[in-house]
Amino acid sequence: MSPLLKEIRHDPLLWLLAFVPVLFAAAKLKPEAHTLLFIMSVLAIVPLAALLSHATESVAAKTGDAVGGLLNATLGNLTELVIALTALAAGQYMLVKASIAGAIVTNTLFMLGASFLLGGLKHHVQEFNRASARTQAGLLFLATVALMIPSAVSQADSSAAAAFTQILSLGLAVLLIVAYGLSMLFSLKTHRELYASAEHAEEGEAPWPMGLALTTLAGVTVLVALVSEVFVESVQKAAEAFGMTPAFVGFIVVALVGGAAEMASAFSGARKNRLDLSVGIALGSASQIALFVAPVLVILSYFIGPTPMSLQFWPGAVVMILIATLTASLVTNSGRSAWFVGVLVLMVYLIFAMTLYLLPPRVV
Amino acid sequence: MSPLLKEIRHDPLLWLLAFVPVLFAAAKLKPEAHTLLFIMSVLAIVPLAALLSHATESVAAKTGDAVGGLLNATLGNLTELVIALTALAAGQYMLVKASIAGAIVTNTLFMLGASFLLGGLKHHVQEFNRASARTQAGLLFLATVALMIPSAVSQADSSAAAAFTQILSLGLAVLLIVAYGLSMLFSLKTHRELYASAEHAEEGEAPWPMGLALTTLAGVTVLVALVSEVFVESVQKAAEAFGMTPAFVGFIVVALVGGAAEMASAFSGARKNRLDLSVGIALGSASQIALFVAPVLVILSYFIGPTPMSLQFWPGAVVMILIATLTASLVTNSGRSAWFVGVLVLMVYLIFAMTLYLLPPRVV
Amino acid sequence: MSPLLKEIRHDPLLWLLAFVPVLFAAAKLKPEAHTLLFIMSVLAIVPLAALLSHATESVAAKTGDAVGGLLNATLGNLTELVIALTALAAGQYMLVKASIAGAIVTNTLFMLGASFLLGGLKHHVQEFNRASARTQAGLLFLATVALMIPSAVSQADSSAAAAFTQILSLGLAVLLIVAYGLSMLFSLKTHRELYASAEHAEEGEAPWPMGLALTTLAGVTVLVALVSEVFVESVQKAAEAFGMTPAFVGFIVVALVGGAAEMASAFSGARKNRLDLSVGIALGSASQIALFVAPVLVILSYFIGPTPMSLQFWPGAVVMILIATLTASLVTNSGRSAWFVGVLVLMVYLIFAMTLYLLPPRVV
């Protein structure tokens, strides 16, 4: 286990792992201290997400490019998936949906915008691979259409409309997963040369041995699930204590916590003038959530939730996802970036965050 | 008439012409066999549309570029126009509007997407003329705005709102026809060099002599009108028998039948790596329906329909047209294509088709 | 004062200044002649706006590039700001909002479209600086999002929703002003080389001496304020006399009057094949109104209006702003233009103008 310990010693982020046992002890001893449990669960998820991400990459590095890319693409948002599954099992569908929408918007706007800004503050003008950004933006656009149609088409609230929305959501979920699978066939197999510069994405971090990676993957996933349970239980109560609306918590807080590890990689890539990496992580992660995590949750809701979950979102969330996708598509179109592009994208995110923070609870 | 007979002998699609007399006999003998009449009228329209398209091109080839282009552009969607006129005369405004919206969406998404996919399966990366695609996308965007504004602005259902919508629709119809006329002045006269590679669009098929072409044009138009009458009468009843919603029939079935001949040309162009041709047919046909067929129907509704028809569409149809236009604009922007672009575009179409198929009838 | 008199003698537009004293006399003698007062106030505002614009540029030319650019950018829409402030003080919030929305739409569509058309009628194909157009379009997009969110999110009409909209509007106003400030830092300081060809924007007109420029600036601003008062008082009554809806007056008439001086510069630039200048004026002016004038009005409404003004617009206006921004973004994307692009953009404007002209008054 020495590479793991060595990594923990060198990476201050991983020192937060100390919060994992502390959290479990606190949850046993003081189950009603929601604010404390919420803060500690956030602090515990961040290093676990980082470990999960490193373990996935290590397995991916050993298994060859195609399988590795597949693994990386499938497990890359494992943290978000586990958190959402925990909320799904608890029947908190509003939190699940808010966290899906929030993860798409946060990855597309905050992660991309902050990468452009941080990179742009150090480098005058940065360039990145347009072709790859375009495919990701296209996938996001497809997912946005799928999330938009149930709300756009069905306006009545009758039971016929509810049944229609449910069966439509299941069909859309299958279509999205098929599209996601074909996108991997395209980018990993038939047209991989278009994605050239994203290849050395993870260079610099030495991969772990296979055994260690697999053990870490399994063990840390269990830990994330346990921590998520405390997180999901405490988040709403804690939010009230902080004066946050439920919409703000699901959209902003959960999304930022779940994506912390990827953000660290994206921002560090931007500072090193490897903007391809940052754009790839941001848009890749957003489209993965929209085309893989969300449909999987819809399908799993038939098995683990109290009732099936639809893909019908709150109209405000649909508008935000649509704007986020359009923004990503407009700013990545030229393949060039400067600091002000980052400011523009972050401003759109700030508008959303402010709106959700101020939103009266019942309006949602 | 030998070129006509020779063509019929060599093109298996034209053997379907046998269904034309059979259909008329059946309509006389068994007027209540809606499902049978529907299937036979579909099978009869397809070869007639192909003949119509060849006759138009033959006339166009003889009359010189400017007049020919004009003729081609004006008569290119004659099948759709005749079907819609028949439905208009029957007072079936919902079917007329659904078939206009469906033809725009089907040409933009299905014809374009399937061309990209079929071409991409044979050729690794394909290129096409961006400038010409951009003008077509711009025209489509203009038409979308015109179709969107009546629904977006008027929310009340009072009689004042209805009068407003009607007079606005007439004004919009005139504007769209003027824009369409100016677009032909632009592409056929002042800036024809921008459309260079689309010039040899129809090479390979030998044009017919003028007399034959004109006779075919006149005779086949009459036949299409007669077949359309049976089609329009039987389509709704047949749809119920197949379990299809009226929206699905108008949007998907009528649009696919009406555009069958053009689709054959577009797909064959894509396989031969002449994607300019495919993109030109798909977007040109969609913008022609939006800027010429739809406004002409509004104006003619003052003369042949029971009451004037407006340009106000069902909001779901407007959303679909808007998404189709945005999709076309995004994917043609780069001037390059690979198979996955086709998958993305087709997926958007599939989402629409699935939604309309599942839609409870009263929601529309 | 000789440069001022010399300019007045050479520029027939400035002869309209004669209407300023005539207007004040008429307003005293015949305060109920609304139609006459309206026409004369329009004729008086146009030359004042031209003087204001020349005076601002003269001050800007003397104070060095950074401060000058700042001044130019801040005072460039002084006419619109003064008209809107007068309407704000009179509590005519609908007119204020309609004139903000109208100014954005008119600058983006009419000024840009007419520049493309006028330039294109003289020059076959024109090119302009894409990078600069892209930043302006990005700013406009950001402002559109800010104006869209209050309407998109809040659907209820309760008092909680009203309070939410008001505090959100204030927050959005601050964000927009910050974004506007950062955009000037970007275009005037850190990345000014991207805006290279727009630099000689005002060459050809000799700047006035500092004293004259400042005196003109102060004096003419006072005159514009006085004329605006007559204009705002008479415009609604006059509109009724002409059969125009209030929405048409605010959106189209006020916007065309307020922007007359800038339009003259933009059109003359386009005819001289300096399309960079035209695009810069049109989009720059639109984004300035959206990101500076509108937020300043919201903030000032806390001090000078009867009640605070929100950024929540009539949904139809939001749709029009959104379409205008999308149109600008699509047509400036290629950096090339021909006459038909101008036609397309003007057609979108005509659709809006016709809709507003026909709109039954109560629907707004």
Side-chain angles (χ1 to χ4, degrees):
Chain A
M1 282 259 180
S2 85
L4 180 54
L5 288 176
K6 205 175 128 199
E7 176 143 356
I8 292 177
R9 202 184 305 157
H10 282 94
D11 186 350
L13 190 74
L14 295 182
W15 299 353
L16 293 171
L17 283 172
F19 278 101
V20 178
V22 175
L23 171 72
F24 292 144
K28 265 275 179 280
L29 299 171
K30 288 200 152 221
E32 74 293 340
H34 296 296
T35 312
L36 185 76
L37 290 176
F38 166 72
I39 295 175
M40 289 200 303
S41 59
V42 167
L43 292 175
I45 283 178
V46 171
L48 289 174
L51 276 185
L52 216 48
S53 145
H54 197 157
T56 308
E57 282 152 21
S58 300
V59 177
K62 296 277 151 133
T63 50
D65 279 343
V67 181
L70 197 75
L71 255 176
N72 216 333
T74 314
L75 300 182
N77 281 299
L78 201 53
T79 318
E80 280 91 343
L81 185 59
V82 172
I83 297 180
L85 277 176
T86 315
L88 191 70
Q92 294 212 29
Y93 288 2
M94 213 220 88
L95 184 62
V96 178
K97 289 186 181 180
S99 73
I100 293 172
I104 299 173
V105 168
T106 299
N107 288 341
T108 315
L109 296 179
F110 181 74
M111 210 191 284
L112 191 67
S115 296
F116 283 163
L117 179 57
L118 290 172
L121 289 178
K122 206 163 167 187
H123 309 276
H124 192 67
V125 170
Q126 296 185 291
E127 310 227 332
F128 55 89
N129 187 339
R130 294 162 67 170
S132 138
R134 214 170 250 158
T135 314
Q136 303 284 10
L139 278 170
L140 264 180
F141 181 77
L142 176 65
T144 307
V145 172
L147 300 181
M148 214 165 108
I149 281 297
S151 318
V153 163
S154 142
Q155 288 152 327
D157 278 317
S158 65
S159 64
F164 157 68
T165 304
Q166 194 54 53
I167 182 83
L168 179 61
S169 299
L170 195 59
L172 292 173
V174 173
L175 276 189
L176 287 180
I177 291 179
V178 170
Y180 185 61
L182 290 173
S183 82
M184 286 196 293
L185 183 65
F186 182 72
S187 60
L188 299 175
K189 195 103 189 165
T190 71
H191 286 65
R192 52 184 308 171
E193 80 285 357
L194 293 178
Y195 297 80
S197 69
E199 284 298 314
H200 9 231
E202 308 308 332
E203 92 187 0
E205 291 188 9
W208 294 338
M210 197 63 170
L212 172 61
L214 283 177
T215 319
T216 309
L217 206 56
V220 171
T221 303
V222 173
L223 285 178
V224 171
L226 294 171
V227 173
S228 296
E229 213 162 311
V230 182
F231 177 77
V232 167
E233 268 168 26
S234 62
V235 67
Q236 297 292 6
K237 291 269 171 64
E240 284 169 31
F242 287 120
M244 295 174 190
T245 59
F248 183 81
V249 171
F251 230 85
I252 307 292
V253 178
V254 176
L256 287 176
V257 170
E262 285 147 322
M263 282 175 203
S265 310
F267 298 163
S268 125
R271 301 290 295 173
K272 291 178 197 151
N273 208 10
R274 290 170 60 198
L275 210 54
D276 267 327
L277 180 54
S278 313
V279 173
I281 295 177
L283 296 189
S285 192
S287 59
Q288 197 179 339
I289 285 165
L291 284 100
F292 183 73
V293 174
V296 161
L297 288 170
V298 167
I299 293 170
L300 288 181
S301 76
Y302 282 81
F303 304 105
I304 65 172
T307 56
M309 189 180 81
S310 78
L311 272 181
Q312 183 164 25
F313 281 72
W314 167 57
V318 175
V319 171
M320 289 184 186
I321 294 176
L322 179 64
I323 293 175
T325 304
L326 270 183
T327 308
S329 172
L330 288 175
V331 298
T332 57
N333 193 31
S334 69
R336 307 175 80 220
S337 157
W339 67 267
F340 188 64
V341 179
V343 168
L344 277 179
V345 178
L346 283 175
M347 281 281 173
V348 175
Y349 188 68
L350 268 180
I351 290 177
F352 292 174
M354 195 169 70
T355 305
L356 292 165
Y357 189 82
L358 295 171
L359 206 64
R362 339 159 245 172
V363 175
V364 188
Chain B
M1 284 259 179
S2 86
L4 180 53
L5 288 176
K6 203 173 128 199
E7 176 142 357
I8 292 177
R9 201 183 307 159
H10 282 92
D11 187 349
L13 190 74
L14 295 182
W15 301 352
L16 293 172
L17 284 172
F19 279 100
V20 178
V22 175
L23 172 71
F24 293 143
K28 266 273 178 282
L29 298 171
K30 287 199 153 221
E32 73 295 340
H34 297 296
T35 312
L36 186 76
L37 290 176
F38 167 72
I39 295 175
M40 288 200 304
S41 58
V42 167
L43 291 174
I45 283 178
V46 171
L48 290 173
L51 277 185
L52 215 49
S53 145
H54 197 156
T56 308
E57 281 153 21
S58 300
V59 178
K62 296 276 151 131
T63 50
D65 279 344
V67 180
L70 197 75
L71 255 176
N72 216 334
T74 314
L75 301 182
N77 281 300
L78 201 54
T79 318
E80 281 90 342
L81 186 59
V82 173
I83 297 180
L85 276 175
T86 314
L88 192 71
Q92 294 211 32
Y93 288 3
M94 213 219 87
L95 184 62
V96 178
K97 289 186 182 181
S99 73
I100 293 173
I104 299 173
V105 168
T106 298
N107 287 342
T108 315
L109 296 179
F110 181 75
M111 209 190 289
L112 190 68
S115 296
F116 283 163
L117 179 58
L118 290 172
L121 289 178
K122 205 162 168 190
H123 309 275
H124 192 67
V125 170
Q126 295 184 292
E127 310 227 330
F128 54 90
N129 187 339
R130 295 163 65 170
S132 138
R134 214 170 251 155
T135 314
Q136 303 284 10
L139 278 170
L140 265 181
F141 181 78
L142 175 65
T144 308
V145 172
L147 300 181
M148 213 165 109
I149 281 298
S151 317
V153 163
S154 140
Q155 287 152 328
D157 278 316
S158 64
S159 65
F164 156 69
T165 304
Q166 196 52 54
I167 182 82
L168 178 62
S169 298
L170 195 59
L172 291 174
V174 174
L175 276 190
L176 287 180
I177 291 180
V178 171
Y180 185 61
L182 290 173
S183 83
M184 286 196 293
L185 183 65
F186 182 73
S187 60
L188 298 176
K189 194 105 191 163
T190 71
H191 286 65
R192 53 183 309 171
E193 81 283 358
L194 293 179
Y195 297 80
S197 69
E199 284 298 315
H200 6 234
E202 308 309 333
E203 92 187 1
E205 291 189 8
W208 293 338
M210 197 63 171
L212 172 62
L214 284 177
T215 318
T216 309
L217 205 55
V220 171
T221 304
V222 173
L223 285 178
V224 171
L226 294 171
V227 173
S228 296
E229 213 162 311
V230 183
F231 177 76
V232 167
E233 268 167 28
S234 62
V235 66
Q236 297 292 6
K237 291 268 170 63
E240 283 168 31
F242 287 120
M244 296 176 189
T245 59
F248 183 81
V249 171
F251 230 85
I252 307 292
V253 178
V254 176
L256 287 175
V257 171
E262 285 147 320
M263 280 174 206
S265 310
F267 298 162
S268 125
R271 300 290 294 174
K272 291 179 196 149
N273 207 8
R274 290 170 59 200
L275 211 53
D276 267 328
L277 179 54
S278 314
V279 174
I281 295 177
L283 296 189
S285 192
S287 59
Q288 195 180 340
I289 285 165
L291 284 100
F292 183 74
V293 173
V296 161
L297 288 170
V298 168
I299 293 170
L300 289 181
S301 77
Y302 281 81
F303 305 104
I304 65 172
T307 56
M309 190 180 80
S310 76
L311 272 180
Q312 184 164 25
F313 282 73
W314 168 57
V318 175
V319 171
M320 289 184 184
I321 294 177
L322 179 64
I323 292 175
T325 304
L326 270 184
T327 307
S329 171
L330 288 175
V331 298
T332 57
N333 192 31
S334 69
R336 307 175 81 219
S337 157
W339 68 265
F340 188 64
V341 179
V343 168
L344 277 180
V345 177
L346 282 176
M347 281 281 173
V348 176
Y349 188 68
L350 268 181
I351 290 178
F352 291 174
M354 194 168 71
T355 305
L356 293 166
Y357 189 81
L358 295 172
L359 205 63
R362 334 160 246 173
V363 173
V364 188
Chain C
M1 284 263 180
S2 86
L4 179 53
L5 287 176
K6 204 173 127 199
E7 177 142 357
I8 291 177
R9 201 183 306 160
H10 281 93
D11 186 349
L13 190 73
L14 294 181
W15 299 352
L16 293 172
L17 284 172
F19 278 100
V20 178
V22 175
L23 172 71
F24 292 144
K28 266 273 180 281
L29 299 171
K30 287 199 151 221
E32 73 296 339
H34 296 297
T35 311
L36 185 77
L37 290 177
F38 167 71
I39 294 175
M40 289 202 301
S41 58
V42 167
L43 292 174
I45 283 178
V46 171
L48 290 174
L51 277 185
L52 215 49
S53 146
H54 197 158
T56 309
E57 282 152 21
S58 300
V59 178
K62 296 276 150 132
T63 50
D65 279 343
V67 180
L70 197 75
L71 256 176
N72 216 333
T74 315
L75 301 182
N77 281 299
L78 201 53
T79 318
E80 280 91 343
L81 186 59
V82 172
I83 296 179
L85 277 175
T86 315
L88 192 71
Q92 293 211 31
Y93 288 3
M94 213 221 88
L95 184 62
V96 178
K97 288 186 181 179
S99 72
I100 293 173
I104 298 173
V105 168
T106 299
N107 288 341
T108 314
L109 296 179
F110 180 75
M111 211 191 287
L112 191 67
S115 296
F116 282 163
L117 179 57
L118 290 172
L121 289 178
K122 205 162 169 188
H123 308 275
H124 192 67
V125 170
Q126 296 185 291
E127 310 227 333
F128 54 89
N129 186 340
R130 295 162 66 169
S132 137
R134 213 170 250 156
T135 314
Q136 303 284 11
L139 278 170
L140 265 180
F141 181 78
L142 175 65
T144 307
V145 172
L147 300 181
M148 215 165 110
I149 281 298
S151 317
V153 163
S154 140
Q155 288 153 327
D157 279 316
S158 64
S159 64
F164 157 69
T165 304
Q166 195 52 54
I167 181 84
L168 179 61
S169 298
L170 195 60
L172 291 174
V174 173
L175 275 189
L176 287 180
I177 291 179
V178 170
Y180 185 60
L182 289 173
S183 83
M184 286 197 292
L185 183 65
F186 183 72
S187 60
L188 299 175
K189 194 103 190 165
T190 71
H191 286 64
R192 52 182 308 170
E193 81 284 357
L194 293 179
Y195 297 81
S197 69
E199 283 299 315
H200 9 231
E202 308 310 333
E203 92 185 1
E205 292 188 9
W208 293 338
M210 196 64 170
L212 171 63
L214 284 177
T215 318
T216 309
L217 206 55
V220 171
T221 304
V222 172
L223 285 177
V224 171
L226 293 171
V227 173
S228 295
E229 214 162 311
V230 183
F231 177 76
V232 167
E233 269 168 25
S234 62
V235 67
Q236 297 292 7
K237 291 267 169 65
E240 283 170 30
F242 287 119
M244 296 175 189
T245 59
F248 183 81
V249 171
F251 231 85
I252 307 292
V253 178
V254 176
L256 287 176
V257 171
E262 285 147 320
M263 281 175 205
S265 310
F267 298 162
S268 124
R271 300 290 293 173
K272 291 178 198 150
N273 207 10
R274 289 169 61 199
L275 210 54
D276 267 328
L277 179 55
S278 314
V279 174
I281 295 177
L283 297 189
S285 191
S287 59
Q288 197 180 339
I289 285 165
L291 284 100
F292 184 73
V293 174
V296 161
L297 288 170
V298 168
I299 294 170
L300 288 181
S301 76
Y302 281 82
F303 304 106
I304 65 172
T307 55
M309 190 179 80
S310 77
L311 272 181
Q312 184 164 24
F313 281 72
W314 168 57
V318 175
V319 171
M320 290 184 185
I321 295 177
L322 179 63
I323 292 175
T325 304
L326 271 183
T327 308
S329 172
L330 288 175
V331 298
T332 57
N333 193 31
S334 68
R336 307 176 81 220
S337 159
W339 67 266
F340 187 64
V341 180
V343 168
L344 277 180
V345 177
L346 282 176
M347 281 282 173
V348 176
Y349 188 68
L350 268 180
I351 290 177
F352 291 174
M354 195 170 68
T355 306
L356 292 165
Y357 188 80
L358 296 172
L359 205 63
R362 1 168 222 165
V363 174
V364 188

